Amino acid sequence: MRELTNTEAIDLVGRFEAGQETPERMRADVRMLGSLLGKVLRESGSPGLFEDVERLRAATIQAYTDETPEAFARAAAIADSFSVARADEVARAFTCYFHLVNLAEEHQRVRVLRERDGRPERESASDSVAAAFVRLSAEVGDETALERLQALRFHPVFTAHPTEARRRAVSSSIRRLATLLDEHETSRRNGADERRAERRMLEEVDTLWRTAPLRPEKPSPTDEVRAVMAVFDETLYTAIPHVYRRVDDALQGPGAGNRAPVVKPFVRIGSWVGGDRDGNPFVTASVTRKAAKIASEHVLIGLERTAERIGRGLTLDAASTPPSEALLALGRRLAAADEEAAGEIAQRSPNEPYRRILLLIARKLAATRARDADLAYRDPEHLVADLRVIQDSLVQAGAARQAYGHLQQLLWQVETYGFHLAELEVRQHSAVHARVLAELEAGGERSELADEVLDVFRSVAFLQERYGPRAAGRYIVSFTQSAEDLAAVHRLARFAVGPEGTPPVLDVIPLFETFADLQAAPGILAEIVEHPEFASRLEATGRRLEVMLGYSDSSKDVGPVAANLALYQAQAAISAWARESGIELTLFHGRGGALGRGGGPANSAILAQPPHSVDGRFKLTEQGEVIFARYGDPAIAMRHIDQVAAAILTASAPSNEERNRAAADKYAEVAATMDVASRERFFSLVKAPGFAPWFARVTPMEEIGLLALGSRPARRGLSVESLADLRAIPWVFAWTQARINLAGWFGLGSALAAVGDEGLLQRAYAEWPLFRTMVDNVAMSLAKTDDRIARQYLDLGDRDDLAELVRSEMALTREWVIRVTGGTELLAGKPVLQRAVKMRSPYVDALSLLQLRALRALRAADEGAPVDPEQQRLLLLSVSGVAAGLQNTG
């Protein structure tokens, strides 16, 4: 097949992009951003770069649209024809393009959310908290619905797992571009200087192009803490109270803001960043203390500035708004503690008691941050008490709008974040505890590991003393396999403080990860609640218990289908045990971003949970790229929190619980058949002799470990001889890069074929939420695969049997998913998602072809020969680009 002429290529690209039915304004944004990138490439000083990018782009689009072997071969030939240096530049160009397309898609989402904001149909949206409350009220009555709303808890926990392929410098450049794109839209709407806005965007696109896409070295745990803090500063600090406000506005209608809110703060932020030491030797007790200090610094700065801003605007005269006796007493107490400042503020604010008091509170917050013991707040509860005195006085004086306006939002912020911002959670492997405990009980000189483990407990005690009991105290035990694994934590805590010391207050949380551990969980829990120390803590918390479920290792253990079914069964069994035992259970879901690690839409997953497994409380990990995708933009963050909170509220509605219970009973036989068939198929692959080395050869798994994605090592040993050596993140990441996505779907085709009854499966898809969620997630995972690209990766190995097993299961799964969902192609019922995948696929193909040429060169090298650094760099660049294009890593 001949290569297209320039005119033909331009026409083909234009027809392809126009055929995707993208919203017109988004298409205009993509065109404009793409043209800016084209201009940057022309000006880059690399002759012919733009033309080479366009040649490959047109070729991959042609290969994607006509699907002939000749077209694919021509695209591959173009990718192979570049010098390594030119391939490097082309890979960077496509990666930049994906960053810009992602930005345009995010901008379109924000645009739509802003246009909906405040409209009546928005407030009645089926997936909003307000709508969920109305539906719940109809089932359980207003009073019970309000009780459930006020007890609602959404608890995202940010983790530093290495799944964010972008450098922070790249992310910062994209955020600046997002701001400029907003300004550009405003300039067009207002007829202002559009060319000036485009010039500034061109400058930023040029910066993005010239910014090295790969980190020169792995980030430290402290770097990871600061990256998460950027999300707090730019989004969460203000977004979360805005969510509360919107829900209250919707529920109270015209009376909102003039009377006490009915919404109580329902979001709590957790963090493993700087606390998760399971498999990460770089997270030490010192790092944990530093992480807490950084977080506290950020929230106290935010609270201080907010109090000062509100105080400066609260210029209410004592004559128009008489202060209460309690407020006057508070003012005297604050002035006595800070006499000089109180005098200066009083001079500037005569007869304005509310302003004076809030400005003095801002100074107390500054003193809290500086650790000035004479002036600092002892804990956030004392700050809340002071703010309540101001609020009550305003209400008594008839100034309810001031009481429940900005001041209420400050109260919500303090109640949500305290002085610690995010509760820092510690995680360690049960084997480490057992090893150290055995060493301590044997006596003798302590090892470095033992000293470090004990220092962690002393650090937790220090954090509780300094920042309040909410700052730390949850301690997760990875690979919990017995009650002794949990009891060991309390014993180690006593060793840490000695016979005369007081151990920190600990809520020890079991993490059940493997298939076997999930099945054993209820028995282990029944045993541990009888342990004296565990039982005493359980009573102190009102019999509240948290249990964590790991998605990653269970999926790697038995395959995604059996793992999903096992997780559902484990949740049902644990929830039933908790209800029988009078325990208030919170299940903590260790979900990753990719589908092979429990990813997918959170709200649909919540609604598919077993009865009583949610009960108004939902906690989950938010990892890597997911943090920035869900919380990086204020409008998107608020929408996400609203959707998840609505799902949490709806999940415990009698109708939803009955639907899930009835479906689980009705389709129990289907589930059993799928479980057995999917596991057999999965084991036939992963337990085949030589599978692990073959997997490492046909995917860029080894090379992914070279990317400076996070501080945590990618594997547990020096080489991969079995799946047990490999962490779940690179397992998923590697299959994604190979355009196979095996970790998200393998075994479902065989499971559905084993059931065999298409009508029965279609009824299950309509009636069984767990099954529907599983099938929809697999459809999305398969839509991002490419059989022709996958074949090229599988051909890198010398195992035709394993390659054929993967390809045949992929075809079988694709066929059955389409049959079950009743469409003619994948994602037929989700046109927006389907369009997004189709629009990206040929561009991802270009990067995959560049990755393949580099991978072939590296695999062809003689054993023991030095690694070609240019080919390795090209491969790593392509990994970053494919991650940006697919928007999935681990």
Side-chain angles (χ1 to χ4, degrees):
M1 175 178 277
R2 68 177 178 85
E3 190 167 336
L4 299 175
T5 66
N6 283 345
T7 302
E8 290 170 331
I10 291 169
D11 180 60
L12 175 65
V13 170
R15 281 188 285 110
F16 171 76
E17 292 183 345
Q20 301 313 305
E21 299 179 358
T22 309
E24 178 52 42
R25 285 190 292 176
M26 178 182 157
R27 194 184 311 158
D29 288 339
V30 171
R31 270 199 310 267
M32 186 261 295
L33 291 168
S35 69
L36 295 180
L37 177 59
K39 187 174 180 62
V40 165
L41 296 179
R42 289 189 186 96
E43 295 174 353
S44 67
S46 182
L49 172 59
F50 174 77
E51 289 73 20
D52 282 344
V53 169
E54 290 299 292
R55 281 173 61 216
L56 184 56
R57 180 161 80 127
T60 51
I61 288 175
Q62 187 175 30
Y64 183 78
T65 52
D66 69 20
E67 297 184 353
T68 61
E70 294 81 9
F72 182 81
R74 188 175 69 79
I78 292 174
D80 290 342
S81 72
F82 298 140
S83 67
V84 179
R86 176 46 56 91
D88 180 306
E89 292 177 315
V90 172
R92 286 173 53 213
F94 274 97
T95 302
C96 280
Y97 175 76
F98 278 127
H99 290 321
L100 297 177
V101 170
N102 293 344
L103 172 61
E105 285 186 345
E106 180 182 285
H107 188 69
Q108 176 66 14
R109 288 179 64 196
V110 172
R111 180 189 284 133
V112 170
L113 289 172
R114 286 173 179 167
E115 288 173 352
R116 289 178 185 168
D117 190 23
R119 293 183 182 179
E121 64 268 26
R122 169 67 191 96
E123 301 306 340
S124 61
S126 62
D127 55 358
S128 70
V129 172
F133 179 80
V134 170
R135 288 195 302 271
L136 187 61
S137 294
E139 292 192 40
V140 301
D142 291 348
E143 188 175 336
T144 300
L146 184 59
E147 287 175 3
R148 293 190 183 183
L149 173 65
Q150 293 182 336
L152 182 71
R153 180 72 80 240
F154 171 42
H155 195 154
V157 179
F158 296 155
T159 81
H161 284 332
T163 62
E164 170 59 273
R166 296 181 307 192
R167 285 185 63 203
R168 188 176 171 189
V170 170
S171 298
S172 297
S173 181
I174 293 167
R175 293 260 61 86
R176 292 193 296 269
L177 268 169
T179 301
L180 292 172
L181 193 56
D182 264 343
E183 292 178 10
H184 178 261
E185 186 158 338
T186 303
S187 73
R188 282 188 301 185
R189 191 165 55 243
N190 296 341
D193 189 357
E194 186 178 347
R195 280 180 299 182
R196 175 178 174 273
E198 288 194 9
R199 177 187 59 74
R200 293 176 64 205
M201 280 196 289
L202 182 60
E203 179 185 347
E204 194 58 57
V205 171
D206 192 49
T207 298
L208 180 63
W209 163 252
R210 293 175 185 277
T211 299
L214 301 177
R215 296 182 182 96
E217 57 187 30
K218 283 182 174 287
S220 70
T222 305
D223 293 330
E224 292 168 333
V225 172
R226 295 192 188 282
V228 171
M229 287 302 103
V231 175
F232 171 76
D233 292 344
E234 295 166 15
T235 302
L236 290 179
Y237 180 68
T238 52
I240 289 176
H242 282 160
V243 172
Y244 303 153
R245 178 65 73 193
R246 286 185 176 188
V247 175
D248 199 65
D249 286 349
L251 295 179
Q252 297 218 68
N258 197 34
R259 58 190 179 204
V262 296
V263 173
K264 294 184 183 298
F266 56 76
V267 179
R268 292 291 183 271
I269 304 294
S271 177
W272 282 9
V273 190
D276 180 11
R277 59 236 319 120
D278 179 11
N280 191 342
F282 307 111
V283 177
T284 63
S286 173
V287 165
T288 299
R289 290 191 294 270
K290 190 179 294 184
K293 181 180 179 182
I294 292 170
S296 178
E297 180 89 1
H298 279 256
V299 73
L300 285 169
I301 287 173
L303 294 174
E304 176 192 341
R305 290 175 178 171
T306 303
E308 185 170 0
R309 175 177 52 79
I310 296 172
R312 292 193 182 284
L314 208 58
T315 53
L316 311 182
D317 189 84
S320 66
T321 317
S324 66
E325 283 301 320
L327 186 78
L328 293 173
L330 172 61
R332 288 191 294 269
R333 179 161 50 81
L334 292 173
D338 197 3
E339 290 182 4
E340 186 175 342
E344 292 174 2
I345 291 171
Q347 268 191 326
R348 297 195 306 270
S349 311
N351 215 34
E352 294 172 347
Y354 297 98
R355 186 174 193 265
R356 290 203 308 268
I357 288 171
L358 262 171
L359 291 177
L360 287 171
I361 285 174
R363 284 188 47 85
K364 276 182 74 68
L365 284 165
T368 306
R369 181 163 56 89
R371 301 301 297 165
D372 177 353
D374 291 338
L375 190 56
Y377 275 108
R378 188 165 72 244
D379 52 47
E381 287 70 30
H382 282 79
L383 171 59
V384 168
D386 286 354
L387 295 175
R388 291 287 183 206
V389 168
I390 299 172
Q391 191 174 59
D392 291 345
S393 180
L394 287 166
V395 171
Q396 290 173 31
R401 294 205 176 276
Q402 283 70 33
Y404 301 125
H406 291 301
L407 182 64
Q408 178 61 51
Q409 293 200 203
L410 174 58
L411 268 162
W412 278 332
Q413 285 167 321
V414 180
E415 291 170 324
T416 298
Y417 298 118
F419 290 166
H420 60 282
L421 194 162
E423 179 173 349
L424 193 60
E425 300 187 353
V426 172
R427 182 172 74 133
Q428 183 56 281
H429 199 290
S430 59
V432 172
H433 295 150
R435 177 178 162 189
V436 170
L437 198 55
E439 177 189 326
L440 295 172
E441 290 176 340
E445 188 176 348
R446 289 179 182 174
S447 66
E448 189 175 323
L449 176 64
D451 284 337
E452 173 59 32
V453 166
L454 296 180
D455 200 19
V456 170
F457 293 99
R458 290 188 282 266
S459 294
V460 170
F462 168 78
L463 298 180
Q464 291 179 351
E465 174 66 25
R466 181 160 182 174
Y467 304 114
R470 278 177 53 196
R474 283 184 168 90
Y475 196 111
I476 296 106
V477 181
S478 297
F479 283 90
T480 297
Q481 296 180 319
S482 70
E484 183 56 33
D485 289 336
L486 304 178
V489 175
H490 289 291
R491 292 162 66 191
L492 286 166
R494 287 198 304 277
F495 267 110
V497 298
E500 304 301 320
T502 303
V505 177
L506 295 174
D507 290 308
V508 183
I509 300 168
L511 168 51
F512 300 111
E513 301 181 78
T514 68
F515 180 71
D517 293 343
L518 287 169
Q519 292 182 310
I524 295 171
L525 292 171
E527 184 181 346
I528 191 61
V529 296
E530 300 301 322
H531 185 276
E533 269 188 279
F534 205 94
S536 64
R537 178 60 186 158
L538 196 62
E539 294 305 320
T541 60
R543 297 188 66 76
R544 293 190 183 97
L545 177 66
E546 197 169 298
V547 175
M548 186 172 182
L549 304 173
Y551 285 63
S552 305
D553 282 283
S554 56
S555 183
K556 187 163 66 78
D557 223 15
V558 293
V561 177
N564 268 285
L565 295 171
L567 281 159
Y568 184 92
Q569 291 161 1
Q571 290 177 74
I574 293 169
S575 300
W577 166 81
R579 283 176 65 79
E580 291 168 6
S581 305
I583 286 171
E584 183 182 298
L585 175 71
T586 297
L587 287 173
F588 181 7
H589 301 262
R591 290 160 53 96
L595 299 175
R597 301 188 58 243
N603 50 333
S604 58
I606 293 167
L607 293 173
Q609 301 303 307
H612 301 295
S613 64
V614 177
D615 276 350
R617 300 175 296 280
F618 191 72
K619 184 177 179 183
L620 81 165
T621 50
E622 299 280 37
Q623 303 180 0
E625 81 279 5
V626 171
I627 295 174
F628 295 92
R630 290 178 174 167
Y631 304 98
D633 178 272
I636 292 172
M638 286 187 280
R639 172 66 171 145
H640 171 68
I641 293 167
D642 190 25
Q643 283 183 307
V644 171
I648 297 169
L649 204 57
T650 303
S652 58
S655 59
N656 190 74
E657 293 196 332
E658 179 53 35
R659 180 183 64 163
N660 289 346
R661 181 186 293 106
D665 291 344
K666 181 176 181 178
Y667 296 105
E669 192 174 326
V670 171
T673 302
M674 289 175 61
D675 177 44
V676 172
S678 68
R679 263 192 291 161
E680 286 180 355
R681 187 65 160 172
F682 186 73
F683 291 159
S684 71
L685 177 68
V686 302
K687 294 191 175 184
F691 168 77
W694 174 81
F695 162 63
R697 184 169 180 81
V698 301
T699 70
M701 187 276 293
E702 293 281 357
E703 289 76 14
I704 286 169
L706 301 173
L707 276 172
L709 296 185
S711 63
R712 194 177 186 219
R715 58 179 179 241
R716 295 183 173 92
L718 296 176
S719 63
V720 177
E721 298 300 330
S722 73
L723 280 188
D725 299 324
L726 188 68
R727 296 194 183 281
I729 291 169
W731 161 253
V732 174
F733 202 159
W735 285 121
T736 303
Q737 287 289 316
R739 304 293 298 283
I740 297 172
N741 282 353
L742 181 142
W745 56 262
F746 192 90
L748 180 63
S750 293
L752 298 176
V755 176
D757 187 331
E758 186 174 327
L760 174 63
L761 290 170
Q762 287 178 342
R763 290 193 296 277
Y765 182 74
E767 299 172 3
W768 184 15
L770 175 69
F771 181 70
R772 185 183 187 92
T773 299
M774 186 191 307
V775 171
D776 284 349
N777 284 346
V778 166
M780 180 164 61
S781 186
L782 282 172
K784 294 182 179 184
T785 65
D786 186 284
D787 185 65
R788 295 174 303 176
I789 298 286
R791 185 192 295 268
Q792 304 297 311
Y793 281 93
L794 294 172
D795 285 348
L796 293 170
D798 56 358
R799 295 287 301 273
D800 292 343
D801 58 331
L802 297 182
E804 177 55 30
L805 184 57
V806 171
R807 294 187 66 246
S808 63
E809 184 66 20
M810 182 190 289
L812 184 66
T813 306
R814 186 183 299 269
E815 174 197 343
W816 271 100
V817 166
I818 292 171
R819 289 169 66 180
V820 168
T821 55
T824 57
E825 59 180 337
L826 292 171
L827 301 178
K830 299 181 183 297
V832 175
L833 182 57
Q834 185 189 63
R835 181 179 66 229
V837 171
K838 285 185 173 181
M839 184 177 77
R840 291 162 174 276
S841 289
Y843 300 107
V844 181
D845 291 350
L847 283 160
S848 292
L849 291 173
L850 293 171
Q851 185 178 115
L852 274 162
R853 62 165 279 177
L855 201 55
R856 287 193 194 100
L858 292 169
R859 296 291 183 267
D862 293 334
E863 189 172 343
V867 174
D868 184 334
E870 290 187 330
Q871 296 287 2
Q872 190 175 77
R873 172 180 160 81
L874 173 58
L875 189 139
L876 296 180
L877 283 170
S878 67
V879 166
S880 177
V882 170
L886 295 177
Q887 294 184 294
N888 280 112
T889 50

